[in-house]
Amino acid sequence: MRIAINTGGGDAPGLNAVIRAAVVTARRKGWDVVGIRRGYGGLFKAGGVVSLDERSVRGITHIGGTILGTSNRGSPFSFPVEQPDGSVRMVDRSDEVIDRMKELEIGCLIAVGGDGSLRIARELAAKGLNVIGVPKTIDNDLEGTLFTFGFHTAVQTATDAIDKLHSTAEAHQRVMVVELMGRHTGWIALFAGYAATADAILIPEIPYDVARVADKIRSRWARGREFAIVVVAEGAIPAGGEASYLDKPALGGGLRLGGAAKRIARRIEELTGHETRSLVLGHLQRGGRPIAFDRILALRFGTAAVELAEQGRFGCMVALDAPAVRAVPLGAAVDSLKRVPVDGDMVLASRALGISFGD
Ligand code: F6P
């Protein structure tokens, strides 16, 4: 048996742990493993497919990023190809992927990715490729699994940052508004805001009214707590309004979320008269060493993916169905977004502590 592994979409802490576990587990079965560099891009480039053995994955469990590189601009169904005149045209190269895999005698592709990469994996499976998915994203927005790996490290990074904001907010009697990642879901904001005792947490699942947030801040000042921390998910939506987006990227591609914290901070300052600062934690949330929880989950996922390949259970994704790791159909992960349940335990527990959701 020869298997291939690739990592696609935004990086997440724990990718290297998945790669190591998959390679070591497969090698112990006597299998060959190759890595495809930079998503699917490596299939179309000389040197883009590399052989992986125990030596190539030594000492990488704790390292962030991915030794294979990644890309969130390289779907084989719409792949950027430079034309003779220098312009770029999007081309469907999915048939070439299937042919290359045959040429390389790959029995199974282990695709490690978020919703975009797993959707590609599902489409390739429909074209006859043997694929097994591994759910990765700091956003934790994939259905079918309780947690994705990378999420808890991002939450830890955000929690540490909010802890630091507390001391400066208190020293200056300021409101600090911090914007966290998560795309159209509020998992990171909810978990980090709860862990770091934010005063308000604004998430896309609960449209906010900034006047309610201002009420919460005023009530703190009235009680002599003259500072406040507001955590805003990048996809947060004002009631009756829209999420905040950055300008169109110069290199093309879809619109990116951004600006939510700045917009809210300005309104809070106007409404409360308290000095308010905003910051965006950004890609720091994706970087660095995976915490132990994510390493363990990623290692388990890597091994489980190889076991599924051995059983011939293609078209599946490994998933955490706590306490077990199981297989779910790829479709279960990508057909819809896993959003924070607005009446779920974490939201209710936050409300019980007086945290405002701006509603
Ligand atoms: O999906 C992971 C994520 O970090 C999101 O939280 C964020 O919106 C997006 O990727 C940012 O993507 P990029 O790396 O293209 O800036």
Side-chain angles (χ1 to χ4, degrees):
M1 175 78 144
R2 169 179 288 157
I3 61 170
I5 181 163
N6 73 345
T7 53
D11 66 329
L15 282 167
N16 285 324
V18 177
I19 296 170
R20 175 166 173 273
V23 170
V24 173
T25 306
R27 295 288 297 161
R28 287 170 63 87
K29 294 181 189 294
W31 298 0
D32 279 347
V33 188
V34 296
I36 304 168
R37 305 198 61 227
R38 304 203 178 141
Y40 292 89
L43 287 174
F44 311 128
K45 270 196 176 151
V49 178
V50 291
S51 164
L52 295 175
D53 61 13
E54 294 83 344
R55 287 159 62 109
S56 22
V57 297
R58 215 171 256 165
I60 63 168
T61 302
H62 65 290
I63 297 174
T66 156
I67 59 165
L68 293 175
T70 187
S71 166
N72 48 13
R73 299 164 60 83
S75 164
F77 292 90
S78 178
F79 197 85
V81 176
E82 196 170 322
Q83 304 300 298
D85 65 357
S87 65
V88 172
R89 199 162 61 88
M90 304 313 269
V91 176
D92 182 351
R93 301 188 74 178
S94 56
D95 288 339
E96 285 176 68
V97 170
I98 306 290
D99 292 346
R100 275 290 279 153
M101 290 292 196
K102 278 192 193 138
E103 203 177 294
L104 293 165
E105 297 178 346
I106 303 298
C108 173
L109 169 69
I110 296 181
V112 191
D115 66 333
S117 309
L118 295 179
R119 211 166 280 137
I120 293 166
R122 188 176 59 169
E123 287 177 52
L124 290 172
K127 283 186 163 242
L129 192 70
N130 292 337
V131 186
I132 288 165
V134 177
K136 162 247 59 161
T137 166
I138 63 162
D139 304 332
N140 196 39
D141 60 357
L142 284 176
E143 282 291 2
T145 184
L146 178 59
F147 294 122
T148 50
F149 71 85
F151 167 65
H152 281 89
T153 303
V155 168
Q156 187 62 56
T157 299
T159 301
D160 291 345
I162 302 167
D163 285 349
K164 288 183 177 162
L165 286 178
H166 262 99
S167 49
T168 174
E170 186 163 13
H172 284 268
Q173 297 94 51
R174 279 177 179 160
V175 181
M176 299 298 297
V177 183
V178 56
E179 181 174 315
L180 301 182
M181 282 185 165
R183 287 198 308 169
H184 300 292
T185 66
W187 293 103
I188 300 175
L190 176 61
F191 276 57
Y194 184 64
T197 64
D199 303 296
I201 302 173
L202 308 180
I203 59 176
E205 293 84 350
I206 305 178
Y208 69 86
D209 177 351
V210 76
R212 298 282 78 75
V213 182
D215 290 344
K216 171 73 192 178
I217 291 165
R218 281 193 213 95
S219 78
R220 282 181 61 77
W221 253 259
R223 282 185 286 118
R225 298 288 281 160
E226 298 188 335
F227 68 97
I229 303 287
V230 178
V231 172
V232 185
E234 61 183 353
I237 304 172
E242 282 187 9
S244 181
Y245 287 91
L246 299 171
D247 293 339
K248 231 178 156 24
L251 289 179
L255 279 181
R256 280 181 287 138
L257 290 161
K262 197 173 167 195
R263 166 165 86 170
I264 290 163
R266 191 181 311 127
R267 286 292 293 139
I268 288 176
E269 197 165 82
E270 282 165 11
L271 290 170
T272 64
H274 299 311
E275 197 176 10
T276 304
R277 294 281 196 277
S278 68
L279 76 152
V280 180
L281 205 55
H283 294 83
L284 283 174
Q285 293 159 96
R286 294 222 303 248
R289 301 152 67 102
I291 61 169
F293 183 95
D294 281 333
R295 286 185 211 184
I296 293 165
L297 188 60
L299 290 167
R300 291 176 74 196
F301 278 174
T303 292
V306 172
E307 305 290 356
L308 286 183
E310 187 168 42
Q311 295 158 20
R313 295 175 67 190
F314 306 119
C316 282
M317 175 187 90
V318 297
L320 178 63
D321 179 11
V325 168
R326 300 191 201 283
V328 297
L330 266 174
V334 299
D335 282 341
S336 58
L337 265 192
K338 182 177 73 185
R339 297 166 68 80
V340 171
V342 296
D343 49 5
D345 170 74
M346 278 289 291
V347 170
L348 297 182
S350 304
R351 290 195 195 276
L353 298 187
I355 295 172
S356 166
F357 285 85
D359 58 342

